Amino acid sequence: MKKFILAIALALPLSIFAQKFGIVDIEPVLTAMPEYTAVQTQMEAASTQYQSEYEKLQEEFNKKYTEYQSLEQDATTPQSIKEHRVQEIQDLSNKLQQFANTAQQDLARQQQQLMAPVEQKLQDAIKSVGQEGGYTFIFQKGMALYDGSTVVDCTADVKAKLGIK
C-alpha cells in the first residue's frame, strides 16, 4: 500500500507538467469551409447592390453639378436659382455621404451575422479536437509566444473534423 501511494505521489507532479499544447492555423481552415465561401458570395452580392445604388446617386450628383456649372456661367440666371441649385448639390452630397456610411455599417453587421455560425462551427471543431486529443490548450497559430517542439499543429485534425481536405 505504501508503495502504491509513493508511486502516485511521484507520478502526480509529472502529470502536472505533462500538458499537451496545440496550435491551429485558422485562416486556411476557415477559407476552406464551404460555409465561408457561401458567406463571401452573399457579401459580394450585397456589396454589389450597394455599389450600384451609390453609383446612381453619384450620377445624379454629377448631373446636378454639371447643370449648376452651366447656370453659373449664364449671367442672366437669377442668383436665387443659383443658390437653390447649390443647396440641392449640398443635399445630394450629404445624401451620398450618409448612404456610404449606412452601407458600410449594414455590410459590417451582415458580415458579422453571417459569420457567427461559421465561426461557432470552427470553434466547436477545435474544441472537439482538443478534447479528443487530450490537449490542455490549443492556440491560434501566431498567437502563442512560443511554439517549439512541445506544441502540436492541430490544423489538419480540425480540417478533418470539419470534413475539409
Side-chain angles (χ1 to χ4, degrees), residues 53-152:
E53 189 63 28
Y54 184 81
E55 288 171 1
K56 288 177 187 175
L57 288 171
Q58 186 69 45
E59 286 176 21
E60 184 180 350
F61 175 84
N62 290 341
K63 180 181 173 189
K64 292 281 186 187
Y65 187 73
T66 302
E67 289 174 2
Y68 170 74
Q69 286 179 323
S70 297
L71 286 176
E72 187 62 34
Q73 293 175 2
D74 184 5
T76 62
T77 303
Q79 187 62 29
S80 61
I81 292 177
K82 291 178 183 178
E83 289 172 1
H84 178 71
R85 295 297 169 100
V86 167
Q87 184 62 45
E88 285 179 347
I89 291 169
Q90 288 174 343
D91 290 345
L92 276 173
S93 177
N94 292 338
K95 190 175 179 180
L96 270 169
Q97 184 62 41
Q98 184 179 13
F99 180 81
N101 291 339
T102 301
Q104 186 177 22
Q105 291 170 357
D106 285 349
L107 287 171
R109 181 183 42 75
Q110 187 176 0
Q111 173 88 12
Q112 185 178 14
Q113 287 175 343
L114 291 172
M115 283 301 294
V118 177
E119 290 169 349
Q120 184 61 51
K121 184 176 180 179
L122 177 61
Q123 290 300 320
D124 291 345
I126 293 170
K127 186 176 182 178
S128 180
V129 166
Q131 289 171 343
E132 291 170 8
Y135 293 98
T136 305
F137 292 103
I138 296 181
F139 298 97
Q140 182 174 341
K141 189 172 186 176
M143 299 296 274
L145 298 176
Y146 174 73
D147 61 359
S149 61
T150 59
V151 178
V152 177

Side-chain angles (χ1 to χ4, degrees), residues 26-55:
I26 290 179
E27 188 67 28
V29 176
L30 188 63
T31 56
M33 293 174 68
E35 298 89 345
Y36 178 81
T37 305
V39 167
Q40 292 307 108
T41 301
Q42 287 178 303
M43 291 306 300
E44 287 173 15
S47 181
T48 300
Q49 286 179 324
Y50 278 115
Q51 184 64 33
S52 174
E53 189 63 28
Y54 184 81
E55 288 171 1

Side-chain angles (χ1 to χ4, degrees), residues 6-24:
L6 182 60
I8 290 176
L10 290 174
L12 188 59
L14 294 176
S15 68
I16 291 173
F17 293 109
Q19 296 179 353
K20 193 173 176 183
F21 298 100
I23 58 171
V24 174

